[in-house]
Amino acid sequence: MKLHLLCVGRLSEPWLRDGCQMYADRLQHYLPLRITELKECKTGSKPDLSRIISMEGELLLQKTGAEGLLVALDGGGKQLDSLGLAQLLEQQMLNGVGELTFVIGGPYGLSDAVRKRADRLLSLSAMTFTHQMARLILLEQLYRAGTILRREPYHH
């Protein structure tokens, strides 16, 4: 199974880029990973948030394939612990899913169209994180899931 992270926006801070790169590199030892960054829609002085969310949603939907499973990160989604995420990955591998795509929206969240298209909604926490922090946390948790599935000592 392949993993695909589909993200709105680029990582703005060097420490975020370094952390995401470190976990992406580590994760490659367990599953092939592809990260696609889409450009954030410009906000201007008086941003029309619903328009921005809708435009970013259209861009995300254009990049999602019909094959595989789509998991959208959303504050209203189901929360899993690390073992639960590992079980989700294992279940999809056993089901023969070719690609598991995780979608991370922009700073204003996901459109309803993306939520409806998603096969699952996943929340990283009851707390709110920036979309850039969500990418770092997700990559770390996917790496942790890989170590759990291989029974390696990273997770304790």
Side-chain angles (χ1 to χ4, degrees), residues 5-67:
L5 264 64
L6 182 55
C7 312
V8 173
R10 294 181 184 252
L11 298 170
S12 61
E13 298 293 329
W15 63 272
L16 281 167
R17 286 191 298 272
D18 292 346
C20 285
Q21 188 62 56
M22 179 185 74
Y23 285 114
D25 290 345
R26 289 181 180 186
L27 182 54
Q28 293 277 4
H29 295 289
Y30 303 98
L31 293 165
L33 171 68
R34 175 170 56 109
I35 299 175
T36 304
E37 292 180 337
L38 303 177
K39 191 172 182 178
E40 284 182 35
C41 294
K42 298 292 180 192
T43 56
S45 60
K46 291 186 178 180
D48 181 352
L49 298 185
S50 62
R51 184 173 173 267
I52 291 169
I53 292 168
S54 177
M55 288 171 50
E56 289 175 349
E58 288 176 25
L59 291 173
L60 287 167
L61 290 173
Q62 289 172 7
K63 295 292 182 178
T64 59
E67 300 297 316

Side-chain angles (χ1 to χ4, degrees), residues 113-127:
V114 172
R115 283 190 200 91
K116 287 176 186 167
R117 163 62 183 88
D119 298 297
R120 294 177 187 250
L121 295 178
L122 177 67
S123 173
L124 294 176
S125 171
M127 293 185 271

Side-chain angles (χ1 to χ4, degrees), residues 48-122:
D48 181 352
L49 298 185
S50 62
R51 184 173 173 267
I52 291 169
I53 292 168
S54 177
M55 288 171 50
E56 289 175 349
E58 288 176 25
L59 291 173
L60 287 167
L61 290 173
Q62 289 172 7
K63 295 292 182 178
T64 59
E67 300 297 316
L69 191 78
L70 184 68
V71 177
L73 270 62
D74 185 76
K78 181 178 181 179
Q79 291 185 21
L80 298 174
D81 60 12
S82 298
L83 293 172
L85 181 61
Q87 290 170 348
L88 172 67
L89 292 180
E90 183 177 44
Q91 181 182 46
Q92 299 315 310
M93 285 186 255
L94 292 172
N95 288 342
V97 171
E99 184 170 81
L100 181 55
T101 300
F102 289 88
V103 173
I104 300 174
Y108 306 111
L110 293 172
S111 68
D112 288 336
V114 172
R115 283 190 200 91
K116 287 176 186 167
R117 163 62 183 88
D119 298 297
R120 294 177 187 250
L121 295 178
L122 177 67

